[in-house]
Amino acid sequence: MKDIIIIGAGPAGVSAALYAKARGKDVLLLEKDKIGGLIANVSKVSHFAGVGDGETGPTFADRLADQVKYSDIPVLFEEATGIEKTAEGFTVQTNQGSHTAKKVIAATGNSLKELPIDLPAGFATKHWPLGQEESYAGKTVVINGGSDGASKEALYLAQKAKAVHMVQNQDKLLCIDEFKQQIEAADNIVVHTGCEVQDIKVEDGVCRAVNLGGEEITDEDGIEVYVQIGQNGNTDLLAPFAKVEGNFLAEDLAAQTEGLFFAGDIRVKTVRQIATAVADGCLAGIMACK
Ligand SMILES: Cc1cc2nc3c(=O)[nH]c(=O)nc-3n(C[C@H](O)[C@H](O)[C@H](O)COP(=O)(O)OP(=O)(O)OC[C@H]3O[C@@H](n4cnc5c(N)ncnc54)[C@H](O)[C@@H]3O)c2cc1C
Protein backbone atom coordinates (compact mmCIF):
# COMPACT_ATOMS: atom_id res chain seq x y z
CA MET A 1 0.00 0.00 0.00
CA LYS A 2 1.28 3.47 -0.99
CA ASP A 3 1.12 6.43 1.38
CA ILE A 4 -0.36 8.77 -1.23
CA ILE A 5 -1.67 8.29 -4.76
CA ILE A 6 -1.86 11.47 -6.83
CA ILE A 7 -4.18 11.31 -9.83
CA GLY A 8 -3.19 13.66 -12.68
CA ALA A 9 0.30 14.88 -13.60
CA GLY A 10 -0.53 18.47 -14.54
CA PRO A 11 1.07 21.33 -12.58
CA ALA A 12 -1.17 20.66 -9.54
CA GLY A 13 -0.51 16.92 -9.37
CA VAL A 14 3.24 17.24 -9.97
CA SER A 15 3.46 19.94 -7.31
CA ALA A 16 1.55 17.74 -4.82
CA ALA A 17 3.81 14.77 -5.59
CA LEU A 18 7.00 16.83 -5.11
CA TYR A 19 5.94 18.19 -1.72
CA ALA A 20 4.73 14.79 -0.46
CA LYS A 21 7.80 12.92 -1.71
CA ALA A 22 10.09 15.47 -0.05
CA ARG A 23 8.36 14.66 3.24
CA GLY A 24 9.40 11.03 2.98
CA LYS A 25 6.10 9.67 1.68
CA ASP A 26 5.83 6.69 -0.62
CA VAL A 27 3.92 8.31 -3.50
CA LEU A 28 2.53 7.14 -6.83
CA LEU A 29 1.58 9.52 -9.63
CA LEU A 30 -1.07 8.26 -12.06
CA GLU A 31 -1.41 9.99 -15.45
CA LYS A 32 -3.69 8.96 -18.29
CA ASP A 33 -1.90 10.93 -21.01
CA LYS A 34 1.33 12.89 -20.61
CA ILE A 35 3.09 14.79 -17.85
CA GLY A 36 2.22 18.48 -18.02
CA GLY A 37 -1.57 18.51 -18.33
CA LEU A 38 -3.32 21.24 -20.33
CA ILE A 39 -0.39 23.62 -20.33
CA ALA A 40 1.69 21.06 -22.26
CA ASN A 41 -0.24 22.10 -25.40
CA VAL A 42 -0.14 25.89 -25.30
CA SER A 43 1.85 27.93 -27.80
CA LYS A 44 3.41 30.15 -25.13
CA VAL A 45 3.49 29.90 -21.35
CA SER A 46 3.04 33.41 -19.97
CA HIS A 47 2.82 35.20 -16.62
CA PHE A 48 4.01 32.34 -14.41
CA ALA A 49 6.89 33.79 -12.40
CA GLY A 50 10.17 32.27 -13.48
CA VAL A 51 9.33 31.05 -16.98
CA GLY A 52 11.84 31.92 -19.66
CA ASP A 53 11.18 34.12 -22.72
CA GLY A 54 9.62 31.97 -25.44
CA GLU A 55 8.69 29.12 -23.09
CA THR A 56 6.20 26.88 -24.88
CA GLY A 57 3.81 24.35 -23.38
CA PRO A 58 5.95 21.41 -24.48
CA THR A 59 9.20 22.89 -23.08
CA PHE A 60 7.46 23.65 -19.78
CA ALA A 61 6.01 20.11 -19.68
CA ASP A 62 9.46 18.65 -20.42
CA ARG A 63 10.87 20.45 -17.41
CA LEU A 64 8.01 19.12 -15.23
CA ALA A 65 8.72 15.61 -16.51
CA ASP A 66 12.47 16.03 -15.75
CA GLN A 67 11.65 17.21 -12.25
CA VAL A 68 9.44 14.17 -11.66
CA LYS A 69 12.27 11.95 -12.88
CA TYR A 70 15.15 13.48 -10.90
CA SER A 71 12.91 13.62 -7.80
CA ASP A 72 12.43 9.87 -8.11
CA ILE A 73 8.65 10.04 -8.20
CA PRO A 74 7.16 6.82 -9.57
CA VAL A 75 4.70 7.44 -12.41
CA LEU A 76 2.31 4.99 -14.03
CA PHE A 77 0.63 6.00 -17.27
CA GLU A 78 -2.79 4.65 -16.37
CA GLU A 79 -6.24 6.24 -16.34
CA ALA A 80 -7.97 6.21 -12.95
CA THR A 81 -11.47 4.89 -13.51
CA GLY A 82 -12.80 4.62 -9.95
CA ILE A 83 -12.03 5.47 -6.34
CA GLU A 84 -13.26 3.35 -3.44
CA LYS A 85 -12.97 4.24 0.24
CA THR A 86 -11.79 1.26 2.31
CA ALA A 87 -11.09 0.71 6.00
CA GLU A 88 -7.33 1.19 5.38
CA GLY A 89 -7.61 4.10 2.95
CA PHE A 90 -8.47 3.97 -0.74
CA THR A 91 -8.42 1.65 -3.72
CA VAL A 92 -7.95 3.43 -7.04
CA GLN A 93 -9.08 1.38 -10.04
CA THR A 94 -7.40 2.13 -13.33
CA ASN A 95 -7.72 0.93 -16.91
CA GLN A 96 -4.86 -1.46 -16.14
CA GLY A 97 -5.55 -2.70 -12.61
CA SER A 98 -5.86 -1.21 -9.17
CA HIS A 99 -3.66 0.46 -6.55
CA THR A 100 -4.12 1.07 -2.84
CA ALA A 101 -3.04 4.04 -0.75
CA LYS A 102 -3.72 5.57 2.65
CA LYS A 103 -4.55 8.90 0.99
CA VAL A 104 -5.48 10.21 -2.45
CA ILE A 105 -4.94 13.62 -4.03
CA ALA A 106 -7.15 14.17 -7.07
CA ALA A 107 -5.70 16.70 -9.54
CA THR A 108 -7.50 15.63 -12.69
CA GLY A 109 -7.86 19.15 -14.14
CA ASN A 110 -10.07 20.06 -17.06
CA SER A 111 -10.86 19.13 -20.64
CA LEU A 112 -11.54 21.72 -23.34
CA LYS A 113 -15.14 22.20 -24.47
CA GLU A 114 -16.11 21.34 -28.02
CA LEU A 115 -18.28 23.47 -30.34
CA PRO A 116 -21.93 22.80 -29.48
CA ILE A 117 -22.94 22.17 -33.11
CA ASP A 118 -23.01 19.09 -35.35
CA LEU A 119 -19.86 19.00 -37.46
CA PRO A 120 -19.93 17.82 -41.07
CA ALA A 121 -18.88 14.18 -41.41
CA GLY A 122 -15.11 13.80 -41.60
CA PHE A 123 -14.40 17.40 -40.49
CA ALA A 124 -12.61 18.01 -37.20
CA THR A 125 -12.02 21.22 -35.31
CA LYS A 126 -8.72 21.69 -33.46
CA HIS A 127 -7.72 23.15 -30.12
CA TRP A 128 -3.97 23.70 -30.26
CA PRO A 129 -2.11 25.43 -33.16
CA LEU A 130 1.41 24.63 -31.90
CA GLY A 131 2.78 21.88 -34.13
CA GLN A 132 -0.02 22.36 -36.72
CA GLU A 133 1.64 25.28 -38.52
CA GLU A 134 1.80 23.54 -41.90
CA SER A 135 -1.94 22.97 -41.95
CA TYR A 136 -2.89 26.65 -41.52
CA ALA A 137 0.09 28.60 -42.92
CA GLY A 138 -1.17 31.11 -45.49
CA LYS A 139 -4.79 30.14 -44.81
CA THR A 140 -7.84 31.65 -43.19
CA VAL A 141 -8.46 30.49 -39.63
CA VAL A 142 -11.51 30.85 -37.42
CA ILE A 143 -10.92 30.60 -33.68
CA ASN A 144 -13.90 30.43 -31.35
CA GLY A 145 -13.59 32.14 -27.98
CA GLY A 146 -12.46 35.45 -26.53
CA SER A 147 -10.79 34.54 -23.25
CA ASP A 148 -7.07 34.73 -22.49
CA GLY A 149 -6.49 31.23 -23.88
CA ALA A 150 -8.33 31.93 -27.15
CA SER A 151 -6.63 35.31 -27.54
CA LYS A 152 -3.17 33.90 -26.95
CA GLU A 153 -3.69 31.12 -29.49
CA ALA A 154 -5.21 33.64 -31.98
CA LEU A 155 -2.02 35.70 -31.73
CA TYR A 156 0.06 32.60 -32.36
CA LEU A 157 -2.09 31.58 -35.36
CA ALA A 158 -1.75 35.11 -36.77
CA GLN A 159 2.02 34.68 -37.13
CA LYS A 160 1.50 32.21 -40.01
CA ALA A 161 -2.14 32.42 -41.10
CA LYS A 162 -3.41 34.71 -43.86
CA ALA A 163 -6.27 35.90 -41.66
CA VAL A 164 -7.53 34.99 -38.20
CA HIS A 165 -11.21 35.51 -37.33
CA MET A 166 -11.95 35.44 -33.60
CA VAL A 167 -15.58 34.58 -32.92
CA GLN A 168 -16.74 35.65 -29.46
CA ASN A 169 -20.32 35.20 -28.27
CA GLN A 170 -19.99 38.02 -25.70
CA ASP A 171 -20.04 41.68 -26.77
CA LYS A 172 -16.29 42.09 -26.25
CA LEU A 173 -13.11 40.10 -25.81
CA LEU A 174 -12.66 38.96 -22.22
CA CYS A 175 -8.87 38.76 -22.31
CA ILE A 176 -6.20 40.72 -20.48
CA ASP A 177 -5.11 44.14 -21.79
CA GLU A 178 -1.75 42.80 -22.97
CA PHE A 179 -3.46 40.42 -25.44
CA LYS A 180 -6.14 42.97 -26.39
CA GLN A 181 -3.49 45.50 -27.42
CA GLN A 182 -1.59 42.90 -29.45
CA ILE A 183 -4.81 41.81 -31.19
CA GLU A 184 -5.69 45.41 -32.03
CA ALA A 185 -2.20 45.94 -33.44
CA ALA A 186 -2.29 42.79 -35.60
CA ASP A 187 -3.38 43.61 -39.15
CA ASN A 188 -4.63 40.07 -39.89
CA ILE A 189 -6.92 39.49 -36.88
CA VAL A 190 -10.62 40.34 -37.17
CA VAL A 191 -12.76 40.12 -34.03
CA HIS A 192 -16.45 39.18 -34.42
CA THR A 193 -18.39 39.80 -31.20
CA GLY A 194 -21.94 38.93 -30.14
CA CYS A 195 -22.14 35.96 -32.47
CA GLU A 196 -21.20 32.30 -32.65
CA VAL A 197 -20.44 29.68 -35.25
CA GLN A 198 -23.76 28.23 -36.40
CA ASP A 199 -22.69 26.13 -39.33
CA ILE A 200 -19.48 24.87 -40.91
CA LYS A 201 -19.80 24.15 -44.62
CA VAL A 202 -17.54 21.47 -46.03
CA GLU A 203 -17.17 20.35 -49.66
CA ASP A 204 -14.83 17.55 -50.71
CA GLY A 205 -13.46 17.45 -47.18
CA VAL A 206 -12.51 21.16 -47.24
CA CYS A 207 -14.24 23.87 -45.21
CA ARG A 208 -14.79 26.97 -47.36
CA ALA A 209 -17.46 28.79 -45.35
CA VAL A 210 -18.24 29.33 -41.69
CA ASN A 211 -21.65 30.78 -40.91
CA LEU A 212 -21.98 33.15 -37.92
CA GLY A 213 -25.71 33.79 -38.25
CA GLY A 214 -25.90 37.17 -39.99
CA GLU A 215 -22.40 36.93 -41.42
CA GLU A 216 -20.37 34.33 -43.31
CA ILE A 217 -16.59 33.91 -43.37
CA THR A 218 -15.52 32.41 -46.69
CA ASP A 219 -12.29 31.36 -48.37
CA GLU A 220 -12.07 29.20 -51.49
CA ASP A 221 -8.61 28.02 -50.39
CA GLY A 222 -10.01 26.48 -47.21
CA ILE A 223 -10.59 27.46 -43.59
CA GLU A 224 -9.21 25.86 -40.44
CA VAL A 225 -11.41 26.00 -37.33
CA TYR A 226 -10.00 26.17 -33.79
CA VAL A 227 -11.97 26.04 -30.54
CA GLN A 228 -11.05 27.63 -27.18
CA ILE A 229 -14.46 28.23 -25.61
CA GLY A 230 -13.75 27.11 -22.06
CA GLN A 231 -13.31 23.98 -20.06
CA ASN A 232 -15.17 21.30 -18.16
CA GLY A 233 -13.72 19.79 -14.99
CA ASN A 234 -12.79 16.10 -15.17
CA THR A 235 -15.12 15.39 -12.27
CA ASP A 236 -16.68 11.99 -13.13
CA LEU A 237 -14.34 10.07 -10.89
CA LEU A 238 -14.88 12.42 -7.97
CA ALA A 239 -18.60 13.11 -8.12
CA PRO A 240 -19.38 10.46 -5.44
CA PHE A 241 -17.14 12.33 -2.97
CA ALA A 242 -17.76 15.96 -3.83
CA LYS A 243 -20.29 18.66 -4.67
CA VAL A 244 -20.14 19.39 -8.39
CA GLU A 245 -21.14 22.94 -9.35
CA GLY A 246 -21.20 23.91 -13.03
CA ASN A 247 -18.76 21.13 -13.98
CA PHE A 248 -16.23 21.92 -11.26
CA LEU A 249 -15.78 20.70 -7.68
CA ALA A 250 -17.18 23.16 -5.16
CA GLU A 251 -14.85 21.78 -2.51
CA ASP A 252 -11.93 22.88 -0.40
CA LEU A 253 -8.53 21.20 -0.71
CA ALA A 254 -9.43 18.64 1.98
CA ALA A 255 -12.55 16.71 1.03
CA GLN A 256 -15.31 15.71 3.45
CA THR A 257 -14.01 12.17 3.03
CA GLU A 258 -11.00 11.78 5.32
CA GLY A 259 -7.76 11.23 3.45
CA LEU A 260 -9.03 12.60 0.12
CA PHE A 261 -7.80 15.93 -1.27
CA PHE A 262 -8.58 17.98 -4.39
CA ALA A 263 -6.10 20.26 -6.13
CA GLY A 264 -5.89 22.49 -9.18
CA ASP A 265 -8.21 23.65 -11.95
CA ILE A 266 -10.79 20.99 -11.20
CA ARG A 267 -11.96 23.08 -8.24
CA VAL A 268 -14.38 26.01 -8.48
CA LYS A 269 -12.05 29.02 -8.54
CA THR A 270 -11.87 32.52 -9.93
CA VAL A 271 -8.39 32.16 -11.43
CA ARG A 272 -7.19 29.10 -13.33
CA GLN A 273 -3.47 29.47 -13.90
CA ILE A 274 -0.33 27.43 -13.26
CA ALA A 275 0.33 29.61 -10.22
CA THR A 276 -2.99 28.70 -8.58
CA ALA A 277 -2.70 25.04 -9.61
CA VAL A 278 0.79 24.60 -8.13
CA ALA A 279 -0.29 26.48 -4.99
CA ASP A 280 -3.15 23.99 -4.55
CA GLY A 281 -0.78 21.09 -5.20
CA CYS A 282 1.73 22.39 -2.67
CA LEU A 283 -0.94 22.75 0.03
CA ALA A 284 -2.69 19.44 -0.73
CA GLY A 285 0.67 17.61 -0.82
CA ILE A 286 1.69 18.98 2.58
CA MET A 287 -1.79 18.50 4.12
CA ALA A 288 -1.86 14.89 2.95
CA CYS A 289 1.41 14.24 4.83
CA LYS A 290 -0.07 15.28 8.15
C1 LIG B 1 -5.13 27.99 -24.11
C2 LIG B 1 -4.63 28.02 -22.70
C3 LIG B 1 -3.50 28.75 -22.41
C4 LIG B 1 -3.03 28.80 -21.09
N1 LIG B 1 -1.92 29.55 -20.84
C5 LIG B 1 -1.48 29.67 -19.55
C6 LIG B 1 -0.34 30.46 -19.26
O1 LIG B 1 0.30 31.02 -20.14
N2 LIG B 1 0.03 30.59 -17.96
C7 LIG B 1 -0.64 29.98 -16.94
O2 LIG B 1 -0.25 30.15 -15.77
N3 LIG B 1 -1.71 29.19 -17.19
C8 LIG B 1 -2.16 29.02 -18.47
N4 LIG B 1 -3.24 28.23 -18.73
C9 LIG B 1 -3.93 27.54 -17.60
C10 LIG B 1 -3.16 26.27 -17.19
O3 LIG B 1 -3.00 25.43 -18.30
C11 LIG B 1 -3.94 25.53 -16.10
O4 LIG B 1 -4.26 26.43 -15.06
C12 LIG B 1 -3.16 24.36 -15.53
O5 LIG B 1 -2.79 23.47 -16.54
C13 LIG B 1 -4.00 23.61 -14.47
O6 LIG B 1 -3.25 22.55 -13.94
P1 LIG B 1 -3.96 21.28 -13.26
O7 LIG B 1 -2.83 20.40 -12.84
O8 LIG B 1 -4.94 21.69 -12.25
O9 LIG B 1 -4.82 20.57 -14.40
P2 LIG B 1 -4.41 19.99 -15.91
O10 LIG B 1 -3.31 20.81 -16.41
O11 LIG B 1 -5.69 19.95 -16.58
O12 LIG B 1 -3.85 18.55 -15.56
C14 LIG B 1 -4.68 17.48 -15.19
C15 LIG B 1 -3.99 16.18 -15.54
O13 LIG B 1 -4.78 15.09 -15.05
C16 LIG B 1 -4.81 14.05 -16.03
N5 LIG B 1 -6.00 13.24 -15.78
C17 LIG B 1 -7.30 13.62 -15.90
N6 LIG B 1 -8.14 12.61 -15.57
C18 LIG B 1 -7.34 11.56 -15.23
C19 LIG B 1 -7.62 10.23 -14.81
N7 LIG B 1 -8.87 9.79 -14.66
N8 LIG B 1 -6.57 9.40 -14.56
C20 LIG B 1 -5.28 9.84 -14.72
N9 LIG B 1 -4.97 11.09 -15.12
C21 LIG B 1 -5.99 11.95 -15.37
C22 LIG B 1 -4.84 14.80 -17.35
O14 LIG B 1 -4.41 13.98 -18.42
C23 LIG B 1 -3.86 15.95 -17.05
O15 LIG B 1 -2.53 15.60 -17.36
C24 LIG B 1 -3.71 28.11 -20.04
C25 LIG B 1 -4.84 27.35 -20.34
C26 LIG B 1 -5.30 27.30 -21.66
C27 LIG B 1 -6.53 26.49 -21.96
Side-chain angles (χ1 to χ4, degrees):
M1 173 175 279
K2 293 279 175 185
D3 290 325
I4 306 172
I5 289 178
I6 299 113
I7 309 174
V14 169
S15 172
L18 290 168
Y19 279 91
K21 169 82 183 180
R23 280 156 181 75
K25 297 298 174 191
D26 184 15
V27 301
L28 171 63
L29 189 52
L30 294 176
E31 170 55 51
K32 70 172 181 177
D33 186 8
K34 56 181 185 278
I35 292 178
L38 266 191
I39 197 73
N41 306 293
V42 309
S43 57
K44 183 180 177 190
V45 179
S46 30
H47 312 117
F48 182 50
V51 293
D53 191 19
E55 178 95 86
T56 66
T59 57
F60 185 81
D62 282 351
R63 288 195 292 106
L64 280 180
D66 277 355
Q67 199 174 9
V68 165
K69 199 169 169 191
Y70 70 66
S71 305
D72 238 349
I73 293 168
V75 187
L76 289 175
F77 289 93
E78 299 181 15
E79 177 171 1
T81 52
I83 301 174
E84 193 191 330
K85 179 85 181 101
T86 63
E88 299 77 31
F90 297 87
T91 300
V92 178
Q93 287 96 22
T94 74
N95 56 349
Q96 295 182 44
S98 68
H99 308 278
T100 55
K102 293 176 197 153
K103 298 186 181 169
V104 168
I105 299 173
T108 50
N110 299 336
S111 299
L112 295 187
K113 288 183 181 170
E114 300 294 343
L115 267 189
I117 59 167
D118 289 333
L119 296 178
F123 180 81
T125 56
K126 295 173 183 167
H127 292 300
W128 305 107
L130 187 70
Q132 306 285 327
E133 293 77 4
E134 271 186 30
S135 69
Y136 65 80
K139 278 171 110 179
T140 294
V141 180
V142 170
I143 179 162
N144 296 267
S147 63
D148 289 344
S151 301
K152 180 194 291 188
E153 298 308 331
L155 286 163
Y156 184 74
L157 285 159
Q159 293 175 22
K160 293 251 159 60
K162 177 167 65 182
V164 175
H165 294 266
M166 293 186 72
V167 179
Q168 158 71 314
N169 62 0
Q170 313 270 330
D171 60 1
K172 57 177 190 231
L173 291 181
L174 298 180
C175 63
I176 54 175
D177 289 352
E178 179 186 321
F179 294 155
K180 229 177 262 172
Q181 283 158 13
Q182 290 174 26
I183 288 168
E184 277 162 18
D187 55 13
N188 62 345
I189 302 182
V190 183
V191 180
H192 307 257
T193 53
C195 56
E196 46 198 21
V197 169
Q198 301 198 348
D199 189 25
I200 294 175
K201 295 178 185 161
V202 173
E203 287 164 21
D204 308 325
V206 179
C207 167
R208 293 195 176 85
V210 174
N211 189 290
L212 308 182
E215 195 184 350
E216 195 162 68
I217 298 164
T218 58
D219 192 333
E220 276 308 302
D221 296 334
I223 301 174
E224 296 280 312
V225 181
Y226 281 79
V227 182
Q228 279 287 350
I229 55 173
Q231 302 158 27
N232 288 320
N234 297 320
T235 58
D236 288 358
L237 197 61
L238 306 162
F241 300 98
K243 194 166 135 209
V244 178
E245 211 175 83
N247 288 324
F248 298 101
L249 302 182
E251 296 285 340
D252 209 342
L253 294 165
Q256 305 277 330
T257 307
E258 205 189 326
L260 179 63
F261 300 83
F262 304 120
D265 275 13
I266 194 177
R267 297 175 55 229
V268 170
K269 44 171 66 185
T270 44
V271 178
R272 290 198 169 83
Q273 288 282 281
I274 306 168
T276 55
V278 296
D280 270 13
C282 160
L283 291 167
I286 293 172
M287 285 159 80
C289 293
K290 291 193 170 156

